[in-house]
Amino acid sequence: MWCVYNMKTARQVDLASLIEATTDILVKARVLEDDNSKIVAAHDGSRVELDRKNPRVEIEIGEMEE
């Protein structure tokens, strides 16, 4: 899974906290069964960017290769 957080302002944010909140929301919405390390194995490519006109979060969930 990776997330790109397109923020409205350039203020500093904690990427780890954003990822944790996102996985908690996805579990509550039943998109993910759980957010343990066997289900959400990596967050490679997650980052914070600036987009003042269109703030959003882009999330991609895929299967890990074994």
Side-chain angles (χ1 to χ4, degrees):
M1 178 174 114
W2 63 257
C3 304
V4 179
Y5 299 91
N6 296 278
M7 308 301 281
K8 185 173 187 169
T9 65
R11 69 180 177 88
Q12 290 184 348
V13 295
D14 182 354
L15 179 59
S17 294
L18 290 172
I19 292 170
E20 183 177 347
T22 300
T23 56
D24 288 345
I25 290 166
L26 292 173
V27 169
K28 187 171 184 174
R30 298 185 177 168
V31 173
L32 297 174
E33 181 180 336
D34 195 356
D35 60 355
N36 69 58
S37 63
K38 292 185 181 203
I39 294 175
V40 182
H43 301 282
D44 297 346
S46 293
R47 62 191 180 279
V48 175
E49 296 184 352
L50 180 64
D51 190 339
R52 296 184 196 280
K53 293 184 179 183
N54 187 23
R56 65 196 179 282
V57 179
E58 299 171 11
I59 302 170
E60 183 171 314
I61 302 171
E63 289 188 41
M64 295 285 293
E65 293 181 19
E66 295 200 29

